[in-house]
Amino acid sequence: MYYCDSSHTYIEDINKFSIKLQDMEKHLYIIGNGFDLHHGINSSYRNFRDWLYENEPTVIQDIEEAYGCCDDEWWSDFENQLGSLDILEYASAVASENVPDLMSDHCDRMWNDAQIEVEQSLDGLYSDLRSCFRNWILQLNSPREDKKIELIREGSRFLTFNYSKTLENMYGVPSAQILHIHGCIDDNEEFVLGHCVGEDELRKMIIVNDPEPPSDDDPEAYEQWRMEMEDNHQLHQQLAEDAAVSGVASQQKPVKKLLHRYKDFFDSLYDVTHIHVYGMSFSEVDAPYLNMVAQIARDAEWEISDYQGHCEMEITSFIDLHKITNYKVIELNTLISRLQLEIDFPAN
């Protein structure tokens, strides 16, 4: 008697279907600094502060002279804090040291002294900071092999905000699959570093405690008020304030420009089925990139890492904003390669 055993054919069909299903899946990995921190790299902003204290103490001194006392909380949000300069206080201090001598024959030139001082001081500070930041990045320690996690490398795309090459060197991801949107240690271009506050917003943040003008019904009182204001808020201080606003605004991240430059990359994400967000803090400064991904890859399944629930509120707000229903929140430690675990804890 002949029996037709179809089990072998059935298994082959299942395997073929699984392979086709994998081919249909498109993975995007969005990588933030928490990814490098997970791998034991000393890449936190507080590490940067400690490096500055040890190697560039004068830069730390210049930062604190401009921004005031910078505590742990300030440094943990370093990039955003670059936009927190008290412009009025800073400009007033410089203006008070550069008051024009009205009796001098060169008084007209001296009105710009405070402005020039602010421009040169802030330009020097930010230039030194960026140079130090690059030197610090170049000396970061190597990632720990025992922290390696499971990644789907083949056919995946990677959007990384890190300057390091952890993906290339540790995971063997080809450079062609990776967009270092803020620069890479191999690039000759300056790293993208900065805050998210625009010039108009900076001007609105300047609070001048001047008295309100009197009613227009009293021309004499109004004229008296105007003359007092001219005396109290002199031209050289206004020029210093304008220079401070421009200086701080120059450190804003050019997010719109970057989104335009890499438009083809973002447009190509329409067919992404799985998005893995590893090590992102969901800070305001990087929100436009994540929002763009969410708008393009509308039907993707999201996997988001959150270290000890530190970003729970930010992640929840992002999920609610984009009405994402297919998602899960994990810790990167749960993704450590099973092969690594077998090496560390072999079966008896």
Side-chain angles (χ1 to χ4, degrees), residues 134 138 163 165 168 175 183-189 191:
R134 188 178 190 91
L138 291 173
Y163 312 97
K165 300 188 69 176
E168 294 93 329
S175 298
C184 177
I185 54 175
D186 284 351
D187 295 340
N188 293 323
E189 294 184 10
F191 291 159

Side-chain angles (χ1 to χ4, degrees), residues 170-188:
M170 188 173 190
Y171 290 91
V173 179
S175 298
Q177 294 174 223
I178 305 172
L179 171 58
H180 284 269
I181 196 161
H182 287 162
C184 177
I185 54 175
D186 284 351
D187 295 340
N188 293 323

